[in-house]
PDB file of all heavy atoms in Angstrom:
ATOM      1  N   GLU A 503     -30.058 -24.256  -1.357  1.00 92.00           N
ATOM      2  CA  GLU A 503     -31.124 -23.498  -1.998  1.00 92.00           C
ATOM      3  C   GLU A 503     -30.873 -23.352  -3.500  1.00 92.00           C
ATOM      4  O   GLU A 503     -31.796 -23.432  -4.303  1.00 92.00           O
ATOM      5  CB  GLU A 503     -31.247 -22.108  -1.347  1.00 92.00           C
ATOM      6  CG  GLU A 503     -31.796 -22.146   0.064  1.00 92.00           C
ATOM      7  CD  GLU A 503     -31.701 -20.831   0.822  1.00 92.00           C
ATOM      8  OE1 GLU A 503     -31.262 -19.820   0.215  1.00 92.00           O
ATOM      9  OE2 GLU A 503     -31.996 -20.822   2.004  1.00 92.00           O
ATOM     10  N   MET A 504     -29.632 -23.154  -3.864  1.00 93.00           N
ATOM     11  CA  MET A 504     -29.281 -23.055  -5.286  1.00 93.00           C
ATOM     12  C   MET A 504     -29.536 -24.330  -6.063  1.00 93.00           C
ATOM     13  O   MET A 504     -29.849 -24.311  -7.236  1.00 93.00           O
ATOM     14  CB  MET A 504     -27.798 -22.627  -5.434  1.00 93.00           C
ATOM     15  CG  MET A 504     -27.482 -21.256  -4.894  1.00 93.00           C
ATOM     16  SD  MET A 504     -25.685 -20.949  -4.685  1.00 93.00           S
ATOM     17  CE  MET A 504     -25.139 -20.882  -6.375  1.00 93.00           C
ATOM     18  N   LEU A 505     -29.405 -25.481  -5.361  1.00 89.00           N
ATOM     19  CA  LEU A 505     -29.585 -26.794  -5.960  1.00 89.00           C
ATOM     20  C   LEU A 505     -30.972 -27.373  -5.741  1.00 89.00           C
ATOM     21  O   LEU A 505     -31.264 -28.491  -6.235  1.00 89.00           O
ATOM     22  CB  LEU A 505     -28.542 -27.756  -5.386  1.00 89.00           C
ATOM     23  CG  LEU A 505     -27.066 -27.401  -5.708  1.00 89.00           C
ATOM     24  CD1 LEU A 505     -26.130 -28.254  -4.862  1.00 89.00           C
ATOM     25  CD2 LEU A 505     -26.798 -27.595  -7.186  1.00 89.00           C
ATOM     26  N   TYR A 506     -31.792 -26.682  -4.984  1.00 86.00           N
ATOM     27  CA  TYR A 506     -33.150 -27.136  -4.628  1.00 86.00           C
ATOM     28  C   TYR A 506     -33.109 -28.495  -3.899  1.00 86.00           C
ATOM     29  O   TYR A 506     -33.869 -29.443  -4.191  1.00 86.00           O
ATOM     30  CB  TYR A 506     -34.012 -27.259  -5.889  1.00 86.00           C
ATOM     31  CG  TYR A 506     -34.077 -25.947  -6.650  1.00 86.00           C
ATOM     32  CD1 TYR A 506     -33.344 -25.802  -7.844  1.00 86.00           C
ATOM     33  CD2 TYR A 506     -34.811 -24.906  -6.180  1.00 86.00           C
ATOM     34  CE1 TYR A 506     -33.348 -24.625  -8.527  1.00 86.00           C
ATOM     35  CE2 TYR A 506     -34.850 -23.691  -6.877  1.00 86.00           C
ATOM     36  CZ  TYR A 506     -34.110 -23.559  -8.040  1.00 86.00           C
ATOM     37  OH  TYR A 506     -34.136 -22.358  -8.716  1.00 86.00           O
ATOM     38  N   VAL A 507     -32.209 -28.581  -2.922  1.00 84.00           N
ATOM     39  CA  VAL A 507     -32.117 -29.753  -2.061  1.00 84.00           C
ATOM     40  C   VAL A 507     -32.087 -29.279  -0.593  1.00 84.00           C
ATOM     41  O   VAL A 507     -31.969 -28.075  -0.340  1.00 84.00           O
ATOM     42  CB  VAL A 507     -30.829 -30.597  -2.345  1.00 84.00           C
ATOM     43  CG1 VAL A 507     -30.861 -31.124  -3.754  1.00 84.00           C
ATOM     44  CG2 VAL A 507     -29.582 -29.816  -2.105  1.00 84.00           C
ATOM     45  N   ASP A 508     -32.195 -30.203   0.331  1.00 85.00           N
ATOM     46  CA  ASP A 508     -32.032 -29.874   1.753  1.00 85.00           C
ATOM     47  C   ASP A 508     -30.576 -29.650   2.107  1.00 85.00           C
ATOM     48  O   ASP A 508     -29.705 -30.232   1.450  1.00 85.00           O
ATOM     49  CB  ASP A 508     -32.539 -31.014   2.632  1.00 85.00           C
ATOM     50  CG  ASP A 508     -34.066 -31.166   2.598  1.00 85.00           C
ATOM     51  OD1 ASP A 508     -34.777 -30.200   2.333  1.00 85.00           O
ATOM     52  OD2 ASP A 508     -34.477 -32.321   2.835  1.00 85.00           O
ATOM     53  N   ARG A 509     -30.319 -28.821   3.097  1.00 88.00           N
ATOM     54  CA  ARG A 509     -28.942 -28.600   3.555  1.00 88.00           C
ATOM     55  C   ARG A 509     -28.313 -29.917   3.968  1.00 88.00           C
ATOM     56  O   ARG A 509     -27.106 -30.122   3.799  1.00 88.00           O
ATOM     57  CB  ARG A 509     -28.922 -27.607   4.734  1.00 88.00           C
ATOM     58  CG  ARG A 509     -27.497 -27.234   5.139  1.00 88.00           C
ATOM     59  CD  ARG A 509     -27.457 -26.342   6.380  1.00 88.00           C
ATOM     60  NE  ARG A 509     -27.978 -26.986   7.566  1.00 88.00           N
ATOM     61  CZ  ARG A 509     -27.299 -27.900   8.276  1.00 88.00           C
ATOM     62  NH1 ARG A 509     -26.117 -28.259   7.930  1.00 88.00           N
ATOM     63  NH2 ARG A 509     -27.834 -28.408   9.368  1.00 88.00           N
ATOM     64  N   SER A 510     -29.106 -30.823   4.516  1.00 87.00           N
ATOM     65  CA  SER A 510     -28.550 -32.132   4.935  1.00 87.00           C
ATOM     66  C   SER A 510     -27.936 -32.898   3.781  1.00 87.00           C
ATOM     67  O   SER A 510     -26.990 -33.652   3.961  1.00 87.00           O
ATOM     68  CB  SER A 510     -29.613 -32.967   5.655  1.00 87.00           C
ATOM     69  OG  SER A 510     -30.693 -33.262   4.752  1.00 87.00           O
ATOM     70  N   SER A 511     -28.447 -32.700   2.579  1.00 85.00           N
ATOM     71  CA  SER A 511     -27.839 -33.356   1.395  1.00 85.00           C
ATOM     72  C   SER A 511     -26.421 -32.844   1.173  1.00 85.00           C
ATOM     73  O   SER A 511     -25.515 -33.624   0.926  1.00 85.00           O
ATOM     74  CB  SER A 511     -28.671 -33.081   0.132  1.00 85.00           C
ATOM     75  OG  SER A 511     -29.940 -33.708   0.257  1.00 85.00           O
ATOM     76  N   VAL A 512     -26.244 -31.539   1.277  1.00 91.00           N
ATOM     77  CA  VAL A 512     -24.924 -30.965   1.103  1.00 91.00           C
ATOM     78  C   VAL A 512     -23.991 -31.466   2.216  1.00 91.00           C
ATOM     79  O   VAL A 512     -22.830 -31.840   1.948  1.00 91.00           O
ATOM     80  CB  VAL A 512     -24.981 -29.408   1.110  1.00 91.00           C
ATOM     81  CG1 VAL A 512     -23.584 -28.809   1.030  1.00 91.00           C
ATOM     82  CG2 VAL A 512     -25.876 -28.893  -0.055  1.00 91.00           C
ATOM     83  N   THR A 513     -24.504 -31.523   3.419  1.00 90.00           N
ATOM     84  CA  THR A 513     -23.691 -32.019   4.548  1.00 90.00           C
ATOM     85  C   THR A 513     -23.235 -33.460   4.293  1.00 90.00           C
ATOM     86  O   THR A 513     -22.072 -33.828   4.489  1.00 90.00           O
ATOM     87  CB  THR A 513     -24.517 -31.969   5.864  1.00 90.00           C
ATOM     88  OG1 THR A 513     -24.883 -30.597   6.088  1.00 90.00           O
ATOM     89  CG2 THR A 513     -23.709 -32.487   7.031  1.00 90.00           C
ATOM     90  N   ARG A 514     -24.145 -34.313   3.812  1.00 83.00           N
ATOM     91  CA  ARG A 514     -23.777 -35.711   3.527  1.00 83.00           C
ATOM     92  C   ARG A 514     -22.781 -35.822   2.408  1.00 83.00           C
ATOM     93  O   ARG A 514     -21.884 -36.655   2.451  1.00 83.00           O
ATOM     94  CB  ARG A 514     -25.045 -36.525   3.251  1.00 83.00           C
ATOM     95  CG  ARG A 514     -25.865 -36.826   4.504  1.00 83.00           C
ATOM     96  CD  ARG A 514     -26.965 -37.866   4.236  1.00 83.00           C
ATOM     97  NE  ARG A 514     -27.994 -37.374   3.318  1.00 83.00           N
ATOM     98  CZ  ARG A 514     -29.093 -36.768   3.689  1.00 83.00           C
ATOM     99  NH1 ARG A 514     -29.341 -36.550   4.962  1.00 83.00           N
ATOM    100  NH2 ARG A 514     -29.982 -36.369   2.777  1.00 83.00           N
ATOM    101  N   TRP A 515     -22.917 -34.973   1.383  1.00 85.00           N
ATOM    102  CA  TRP A 515     -21.916 -35.019   0.286  1.00 85.00           C
ATOM    103  C   TRP A 515     -20.575 -34.593   0.806  1.00 85.00           C
ATOM    104  O   TRP A 515     -19.572 -35.257   0.500  1.00 85.00           O
ATOM    105  CB  TRP A 515     -22.322 -34.044  -0.847  1.00 85.00           C
ATOM    106  CG  TRP A 515     -23.569 -34.397  -1.538  1.00 85.00           C
ATOM    107  CD1 TRP A 515     -24.170 -35.638  -1.693  1.00 85.00           C
ATOM    108  CD2 TRP A 515     -24.455 -33.460  -2.197  1.00 85.00           C
ATOM    109  NE1 TRP A 515     -25.328 -35.540  -2.382  1.00 85.00           N
ATOM    110  CE2 TRP A 515     -25.541 -34.216  -2.734  1.00 85.00           C
ATOM    111  CE3 TRP A 515     -24.428 -32.112  -2.411  1.00 85.00           C
ATOM    112  CZ2 TRP A 515     -26.571 -33.623  -3.439  1.00 85.00           C
ATOM    113  CZ3 TRP A 515     -25.457 -31.516  -3.120  1.00 85.00           C
ATOM    114  CH2 TRP A 515     -26.516 -32.265  -3.634  1.00 85.00           C
ATOM    115  N   GLU A 516     -20.514 -33.563   1.598  1.00 89.00           N
ATOM    116  CA  GLU A 516     -19.216 -33.049   2.073  1.00 89.00           C
ATOM    117  C   GLU A 516     -18.601 -34.020   3.074  1.00 89.00           C
ATOM    118  O   GLU A 516     -17.357 -34.091   3.157  1.00 89.00           O
ATOM    119  CB  GLU A 516     -19.384 -31.674   2.692  1.00 89.00           C
ATOM    120  CG  GLU A 516     -19.662 -30.592   1.649  1.00 89.00           C
ATOM    121  CD  GLU A 516     -19.728 -29.193   2.228  1.00 89.00           C
ATOM    122  OE1 GLU A 516     -19.616 -29.013   3.441  1.00 89.00           O
ATOM    123  OE2 GLU A 516     -19.925 -28.267   1.428  1.00 89.00           O
ATOM    124  N   SER A 517     -19.407 -34.756   3.801  1.00 85.00           N
ATOM    125  CA  SER A 517     -18.844 -35.704   4.790  1.00 85.00           C
ATOM    126  C   SER A 517     -18.474 -37.043   4.148  1.00 85.00           C
ATOM    127  O   SER A 517     -17.818 -37.860   4.725  1.00 85.00           O
ATOM    128  CB  SER A 517     -19.855 -35.989   5.919  1.00 85.00           C
ATOM    129  OG  SER A 517     -20.963 -36.697   5.406  1.00 85.00           O
ATOM    130  N   GLY A 518     -18.900 -37.223   2.859  1.00 76.00           N
ATOM    131  CA  GLY A 518     -18.616 -38.461   2.179  1.00 76.00           C
ATOM    132  C   GLY A 518     -19.596 -39.584   2.409  1.00 76.00           C
ATOM    133  O   GLY A 518     -19.411 -40.710   1.960  1.00 76.00           O
ATOM    134  N   LYS A 519     -20.676 -39.283   3.164  1.00 70.00           N
ATOM    135  CA  LYS A 519     -21.692 -40.313   3.445  1.00 70.00           C
ATOM    136  C   LYS A 519     -22.499 -40.622   2.186  1.00 70.00           C
ATOM    137  O   LYS A 519     -23.071 -41.722   2.094  1.00 70.00           O
ATOM    138  CB  LYS A 519     -22.587 -39.885   4.578  1.00 70.00           C
ATOM    139  CG  LYS A 519     -21.920 -39.897   5.927  1.00 70.00           C
ATOM    140  CD  LYS A 519     -22.871 -39.542   7.025  1.00 70.00           C
ATOM    141  CE  LYS A 519     -22.153 -39.578   8.355  1.00 70.00           C
ATOM    142  NZ  LYS A 519     -23.059 -39.221   9.445  1.00 70.00           N
ATOM    143  N   ARG A 520     -22.621 -39.677   1.330  1.00 72.00           N
ATOM    144  CA  ARG A 520     -23.319 -39.893   0.061  1.00 72.00           C
ATOM    145  C   ARG A 520     -22.564 -39.232  -1.058  1.00 72.00           C
ATOM    146  O   ARG A 520     -21.822 -38.281  -0.866  1.00 72.00           O
ATOM    147  CB  ARG A 520     -24.728 -39.278   0.129  1.00 72.00           C
ATOM    148  CG  ARG A 520     -25.622 -39.998   1.135  1.00 72.00           C
ATOM    149  CD  ARG A 520     -26.982 -40.134   0.590  1.00 72.00           C
ATOM    150  NE  ARG A 520     -27.755 -40.894   1.546  1.00 72.00           N
ATOM    151  CZ  ARG A 520     -29.042 -40.697   1.783  1.00 72.00           C
ATOM    152  NH1 ARG A 520     -29.666 -39.766   1.150  1.00 72.00           N
ATOM    153  NH2 ARG A 520     -29.679 -41.456   2.626  1.00 72.00           N
ATOM    154  N   ILE A 521     -22.818 -39.714  -2.269  1.00 75.00           N
ATOM    155  CA  ILE A 521     -22.204 -39.122  -3.457  1.00 75.00           C
ATOM    156  C   ILE A 521     -23.313 -38.642  -4.326  1.00 75.00           C
ATOM    157  O   ILE A 521     -24.226 -39.410  -4.619  1.00 75.00           O
ATOM    158  CB  ILE A 521     -21.313 -40.161  -4.153  1.00 75.00           C
ATOM    159  CG1 ILE A 521     -20.148 -40.561  -3.254  1.00 75.00           C
ATOM    160  CG2 ILE A 521     -20.794 -39.589  -5.498  1.00 75.00           C
ATOM    161  CD1 ILE A 521     -19.306 -41.669  -3.825  1.00 75.00           C
ATOM    162  N   PRO A 522     -23.231 -37.374  -4.782  1.00 77.00           N
ATOM    163  CA  PRO A 522     -24.313 -36.891  -5.676  1.00 77.00           C
ATOM    164  C   PRO A 522     -24.282 -37.635  -7.017  1.00 77.00           C
ATOM    165  O   PRO A 522     -23.209 -38.073  -7.450  1.00 77.00           O
ATOM    166  CB  PRO A 522     -23.965 -35.412  -5.842  1.00 77.00           C
ATOM    167  CG  PRO A 522     -22.540 -35.273  -5.457  1.00 77.00           C
ATOM    168  CD  PRO A 522     -22.231 -36.393  -4.508  1.00 77.00           C
ATOM    169  N   ASP A 523     -25.461 -37.788  -7.625  1.00 69.00           N
ATOM    170  CA  ASP A 523     -25.502 -38.450  -8.930  1.00 69.00           C
ATOM    171  C   ASP A 523     -24.918 -37.522 -10.001  1.00 69.00           C
ATOM    172  O   ASP A 523     -24.609 -36.371  -9.748  1.00 69.00           O
ATOM    173  CB  ASP A 523     -26.893 -38.928  -9.276  1.00 69.00           C
ATOM    174  CG  ASP A 523     -27.932 -37.831  -9.379  1.00 69.00           C
ATOM    175  OD1 ASP A 523     -27.543 -36.675  -9.704  1.00 69.00           O
ATOM    176  OD2 ASP A 523     -29.122 -38.086  -9.186  1.00 69.00           O
ATOM    177  N   ALA A 524     -24.781 -38.030 -11.234  1.00 69.00           N
ATOM    178  CA  ALA A 524     -24.115 -37.295 -12.314  1.00 69.00           C
ATOM    179  C   ALA A 524     -24.848 -35.975 -12.630  1.00 69.00           C
ATOM    180  O   ALA A 524     -24.198 -34.954 -12.900  1.00 69.00           O
ATOM    181  CB  ALA A 524     -24.004 -38.149 -13.536  1.00 69.00           C
ATOM    182  N   ILE A 525     -26.168 -35.988 -12.611  1.00 75.00           N
ATOM    183  CA  ILE A 525     -26.933 -34.745 -12.898  1.00 75.00           C
ATOM    184  C   ILE A 525     -26.656 -33.703 -11.823  1.00 75.00           C
ATOM    185  O   ILE A 525     -26.437 -32.545 -12.103  1.00 75.00           O
ATOM    186  CB  ILE A 525     -28.445 -35.063 -13.005  1.00 75.00           C
ATOM    187  CG1 ILE A 525     -28.671 -35.910 -14.261  1.00 75.00           C
ATOM    188  CG2 ILE A 525     -29.266 -33.760 -13.046  1.00 75.00           C
ATOM    189  CD1 ILE A 525     -30.078 -36.514 -14.369  1.00 75.00           C
ATOM    190  N   MET A 526     -26.661 -34.143 -10.566  1.00 82.00           N
ATOM    191  CA  MET A 526     -26.418 -33.214  -9.457  1.00 82.00           C
ATOM    192  C   MET A 526     -24.964 -32.697  -9.483  1.00 82.00           C
ATOM    193  O   MET A 526     -24.714 -31.543  -9.186  1.00 82.00           O
ATOM    194  CB  MET A 526     -26.718 -33.882  -8.126  1.00 82.00           C
ATOM    195  CG  MET A 526     -26.668 -32.900  -6.949  1.00 82.00           C
ATOM    196  SD  MET A 526     -27.806 -31.474  -7.115  1.00 82.00           S
ATOM    197  CE  MET A 526     -29.381 -32.287  -6.934  1.00 82.00           C
ATOM    198  N   ILE A 527     -24.040 -33.552  -9.928  1.00 83.00           N
ATOM    199  CA  ILE A 527     -22.638 -33.109 -10.031  1.00 83.00           C
ATOM    200  C   ILE A 527     -22.543 -31.992 -11.081  1.00 83.00           C
ATOM    201  O   ILE A 527     -21.832 -30.991 -10.866  1.00 83.00           O
ATOM    202  CB  ILE A 527     -21.696 -34.289 -10.365  1.00 83.00           C
ATOM    203  CG1 ILE A 527     -21.557 -35.156  -9.122  1.00 83.00           C
ATOM    204  CG2 ILE A 527     -20.352 -33.773 -10.841  1.00 83.00           C
ATOM    205  CD1 ILE A 527     -20.700 -36.374  -9.289  1.00 83.00           C
ATOM    206  N   THR A 528     -23.257 -32.123 -12.165  1.00 84.00           N
ATOM    207  CA  THR A 528     -23.303 -31.078 -13.187  1.00 84.00           C
ATOM    208  C   THR A 528     -23.856 -29.759 -12.602  1.00 84.00           C
ATOM    209  O   THR A 528     -23.292 -28.691 -12.827  1.00 84.00           O
ATOM    210  CB  THR A 528     -24.115 -31.540 -14.411  1.00 84.00           C
ATOM    211  OG1 THR A 528     -23.558 -32.742 -14.918  1.00 84.00           O
ATOM    212  CG2 THR A 528     -24.132 -30.457 -15.492  1.00 84.00           C
ATOM    213  N   ARG A 529     -24.924 -29.883 -11.853  1.00 89.00           N
ATOM    214  CA  ARG A 529     -25.497 -28.668 -11.231  1.00 89.00           C
ATOM    215  C   ARG A 529     -24.569 -28.102 -10.162  1.00 89.00           C
ATOM    216  O   ARG A 529     -24.460 -26.860 -10.058  1.00 89.00           O
ATOM    217  CB  ARG A 529     -26.874 -29.053 -10.624  1.00 89.00           C
ATOM    218  CG  ARG A 529     -27.921 -29.358 -11.689  1.00 89.00           C
ATOM    219  CD  ARG A 529     -29.218 -29.879 -11.175  1.00 89.00           C
ATOM    220  NE  ARG A 529     -29.858 -28.932 -10.272  1.00 89.00           N
ATOM    221  CZ  ARG A 529     -30.864 -29.253  -9.447  1.00 89.00           C
ATOM    222  NH1 ARG A 529     -31.304 -30.494  -9.408  1.00 89.00           N
ATOM    223  NH2 ARG A 529     -31.390 -28.330  -8.668  1.00 89.00           N
ATOM    224  N   LEU A 530     -23.924 -28.951  -9.408  1.00 92.00           N
ATOM    225  CA  LEU A 530     -22.934 -28.485  -8.411  1.00 92.00           C
ATOM    226  C   LEU A 530     -21.818 -27.710  -9.092  1.00 92.00           C
ATOM    227  O   LEU A 530     -21.384 -26.645  -8.648  1.00 92.00           O
ATOM    228  CB  LEU A 530     -22.334 -29.674  -7.659  1.00 92.00           C
ATOM    229  CG  LEU A 530     -23.013 -30.118  -6.397  1.00 92.00           C
ATOM    230  CD1 LEU A 530     -22.540 -31.510  -5.982  1.00 92.00           C
ATOM    231  CD2 LEU A 530     -22.816 -29.127  -5.265  1.00 92.00           C
ATOM    232  N   ALA A 531     -21.311 -28.286 -10.222  1.00 91.00           N
ATOM    233  CA  ALA A 531     -20.236 -27.644 -10.943  1.00 91.00           C
ATOM    234  C   ALA A 531     -20.643 -26.212 -11.399  1.00 91.00           C
ATOM    235  O   ALA A 531     -19.866 -25.280 -11.269  1.00 91.00           O
ATOM    236  CB  ALA A 531     -19.813 -28.487 -12.124  1.00 91.00           C
ATOM    237  N   ASP A 532     -21.866 -26.078 -11.900  1.00 92.00           N
ATOM    238  CA  ASP A 532     -22.351 -24.778 -12.337  1.00 92.00           C
ATOM    239  C   ASP A 532     -22.396 -23.785 -11.173  1.00 92.00           C
ATOM    240  O   ASP A 532     -21.952 -22.654 -11.275  1.00 92.00           O
ATOM    241  CB  ASP A 532     -23.757 -24.875 -12.957  1.00 92.00           C
ATOM    242  CG  ASP A 532     -23.733 -25.570 -14.311  1.00 92.00           C
ATOM    243  OD1 ASP A 532     -22.648 -25.648 -14.930  1.00 92.00           O
ATOM    244  OD2 ASP A 532     -24.809 -26.034 -14.759  1.00 92.00           O
ATOM    245  N   CYS A 533     -22.929 -24.245 -10.032  1.00 94.00           N
ATOM    246  CA  CYS A 533     -23.039 -23.383  -8.848  1.00 94.00           C
ATOM    247  C   CYS A 533     -21.674 -22.990  -8.273  1.00 94.00           C
ATOM    248  O   CYS A 533     -21.502 -21.886  -7.763  1.00 94.00           O
ATOM    249  CB  CYS A 533     -23.863 -24.062  -7.774  1.00 94.00           C
ATOM    250  SG  CYS A 533     -25.600 -24.251  -8.177  1.00 94.00           S
ATOM    251  N   LEU A 534     -20.718 -23.921  -8.371  1.00 93.00           N
ATOM    252  CA  LEU A 534     -19.402 -23.664  -7.787  1.00 93.00           C
ATOM    253  C   LEU A 534     -18.402 -23.110  -8.782  1.00 93.00           C
ATOM    254  O   LEU A 534     -17.254 -22.827  -8.438  1.00 93.00           O
ATOM    255  CB  LEU A 534     -18.868 -24.951  -7.142  1.00 93.00           C
ATOM    256  CG  LEU A 534     -19.697 -25.523  -6.031  1.00 93.00           C
ATOM    257  CD1 LEU A 534     -19.197 -26.890  -5.610  1.00 93.00           C
ATOM    258  CD2 LEU A 534     -19.719 -24.570  -4.818  1.00 93.00           C
ATOM    259  N   GLY A 535     -18.827 -22.942 -10.036  1.00 92.00           N
ATOM    260  CA  GLY A 535     -17.989 -22.290 -11.041  1.00 92.00           C
ATOM    261  C   GLY A 535     -16.817 -23.132 -11.505  1.00 92.00           C
ATOM    262  O   GLY A 535     -15.727 -22.593 -11.794  1.00 92.00           O
ATOM    263  N   VAL A 536     -17.006 -24.430 -11.614  1.00 91.00           N
ATOM    264  CA  VAL A 536     -15.966 -25.302 -12.122  1.00 91.00           C
ATOM    265  C   VAL A 536     -16.550 -26.166 -13.242  1.00 91.00           C
ATOM    266  O   VAL A 536     -17.739 -26.286 -13.411  1.00 91.00           O
ATOM    267  CB  VAL A 536     -15.354 -26.226 -11.010  1.00 91.00           C
ATOM    268  CG1 VAL A 536     -14.651 -25.413  -9.966  1.00 91.00           C
ATOM    269  CG2 VAL A 536     -16.379 -27.140 -10.417  1.00 91.00           C
ATOM    270  N   ASP A 537     -15.641 -26.778 -13.988  1.00 86.00           N
ATOM    271  CA  ASP A 537     -16.047 -27.699 -15.030  1.00 86.00           C
ATOM    272  C   ASP A 537     -16.600 -28.968 -14.411  1.00 86.00           C
ATOM    273  O   ASP A 537     -16.047 -29.490 -13.437  1.00 86.00           O
ATOM    274  CB  ASP A 537     -14.819 -28.005 -15.915  1.00 86.00           C
ATOM    275  CG  ASP A 537     -15.130 -28.989 -17.015  1.00 86.00           C
ATOM    276  OD1 ASP A 537     -15.914 -28.609 -17.903  1.00 86.00           O
ATOM    277  OD2 ASP A 537     -14.590 -30.096 -17.002  1.00 86.00           O
ATOM    278  N   SER A 538     -17.708 -29.464 -14.952  1.00 80.00           N
ATOM    279  CA  SER A 538     -18.317 -30.672 -14.389  1.00 80.00           C
ATOM    280  C   SER A 538     -17.367 -31.867 -14.468  1.00 80.00           C
ATOM    281  O   SER A 538     -17.411 -32.768 -13.602  1.00 80.00           O
ATOM    282  CB  SER A 538     -19.666 -31.005 -15.041  1.00 80.00           C
ATOM    283  OG  SER A 538     -19.486 -31.198 -16.437  1.00 80.00           O
ATOM    284  N   GLY A 539     -16.500 -31.881 -15.476  1.00 78.00           N
ATOM    285  CA  GLY A 539     -15.534 -32.967 -15.600  1.00 78.00           C
ATOM    286  C   GLY A 539     -14.582 -33.031 -14.423  1.00 78.00           C
ATOM    287  O   GLY A 539     -14.146 -34.126 -14.010  1.00 78.00           O
ATOM    288  N   THR A 540     -14.294 -31.866 -13.847  1.00 76.00           N
ATOM    289  CA  THR A 540     -13.412 -31.817 -12.681  1.00 76.00           C
ATOM    290  C   THR A 540     -14.074 -32.515 -11.499  1.00 76.00           C
ATOM    291  O   THR A 540     -13.434 -33.294 -10.799  1.00 76.00           O
ATOM    292  CB  THR A 540     -13.099 -30.316 -12.295  1.00 76.00           C
ATOM    293  OG1 THR A 540     -12.552 -29.709 -13.435  1.00 76.00           O
ATOM    294  CG2 THR A 540     -12.161 -30.264 -11.132  1.00 76.00           C
ATOM    295  N   LEU A 541     -15.363 -32.235 -11.269  1.00 77.00           N
ATOM    296  CA  LEU A 541     -16.061 -32.893 -10.186  1.00 77.00           C
ATOM    297  C   LEU A 541     -16.250 -34.365 -10.469  1.00 77.00           C
ATOM    298  O   LEU A 541     -16.154 -35.194  -9.557  1.00 77.00           O
ATOM    299  CB  LEU A 541     -17.413 -32.213  -9.900  1.00 77.00           C
ATOM    300  CG  LEU A 541     -17.391 -30.897  -9.167  1.00 77.00           C
ATOM    301  CD1 LEU A 541     -18.795 -30.374  -8.950  1.00 77.00           C
ATOM    302  CD2 LEU A 541     -16.677 -30.980  -7.850  1.00 77.00           C
ATOM    303  N   LEU A 542     -16.577 -34.719 -11.702  1.00 70.00           N
ATOM    304  CA  LEU A 542     -16.750 -36.126 -12.045  1.00 70.00           C
ATOM    305  C   LEU A 542     -15.457 -36.887 -11.846  1.00 70.00           C
ATOM    306  O   LEU A 542     -15.431 -38.041 -11.404  1.00 70.00           O
ATOM    307  CB  LEU A 542     -17.268 -36.305 -13.484  1.00 70.00           C
ATOM    308  CG  LEU A 542     -18.724 -35.964 -13.691  1.00 70.00           C
ATOM    309  CD1 LEU A 542     -19.043 -35.885 -15.173  1.00 70.00           C
ATOM    310  CD2 LEU A 542     -19.596 -36.975 -13.000  1.00 70.00           C
TER     311      LEU A 542
END
């Protein structure tokens, strides 16, 4: 909900079936309170 995606997208990222693109990684970093460089 914070990222405006389906829960299934988060599930696929966490399982390694998909990798979020660079823009989404930046948004993920903001939501999770880490530097985007760490996720990249």
